[in-house]
Amino acid sequence: MQYDDFVSSVQARGGRPRDETETLVHATLRVLAERLTAGEADDLRAQLPGDLQADLIPPEPEAQPFGPDEFARRVARMAGVPEAEAREGMVAVLATTRDAVEPGEFDEVLSQLGGEFARLVLGPR
């Protein structure tokens, strides 16, 4: 998937203007990099468009343990948007990421994120 396709997919899911969508995409991926181990972030980064790869460079090798609420707070702070908008954007970005990478790769991401994130992205099972 190319960068424009990725952003367009997030925009279709979230209904925000393109510039806001791009800001949310980059902020969400940066926070995701904090939440994943360095190895998993590397694996995911390799399957995303080149313009998004720098966002997935983790600030630390160890994953930081936090749930969806803190994830949304961090995205909101980074993107300069209300927390509810950040949460919607986060779900749209994660769902688009699921579509953009090989299925096994996203399963590995979800295994690190945990069940709360899986329910947000995949819905109830």
Side-chain angles (χ1 to χ4, degrees):
M1 183 179 286
Q2 298 299 313
Y3 176 81
D4 286 335
D5 297 330
F6 191 98
V7 173
S8 293
S9 178
V10 173
Q11 187 175 14
R13 285 181 160 104
R16 301 268 175 232
R18 176 127 179 137
D19 59 333
E20 287 179 32
T21 299
E22 286 187 276
T23 299
L24 283 167
V25 165
H26 292 289
T28 299
L29 292 176
R30 286 182 190 133
V31 174
L32 182 60
E34 297 172 5
R35 186 64 181 72
L36 298 175
T37 62
E40 187 53 45
D42 288 346
D43 292 347
L44 182 61
R45 184 172 59 246
Q47 293 190 29
L48 289 179
D51 290 344
L52 298 176
Q53 291 181 359
D55 294 327
L56 275 167
I57 297 172
E60 304 169 15
E62 296 300 316
Q64 297 177 28
F66 52 85
D69 292 340
E70 177 61 19
F71 195 112
R73 277 191 286 279
R74 291 180 186 207
V75 171
R77 216 172 22 249
M78 196 174 291
V81 299
E83 199 170 311
E85 187 176 321
R87 186 182 261 301
E88 290 172 9
M90 168 186 92
V91 171
V93 171
L94 291 174
T96 299
T97 301
R98 176 194 64 212
D99 294 346
V101 301
E102 295 173 13
E105 180 56 40
F106 197 73
D107 290 343
E108 290 177 26
V109 168
L110 285 180
S111 74
Q112 286 197 15
L113 294 178
E116 290 178 86
F117 287 91
R119 283 186 290 285
L120 283 173
V121 177
L122 306 174
R125 290 194 171 207

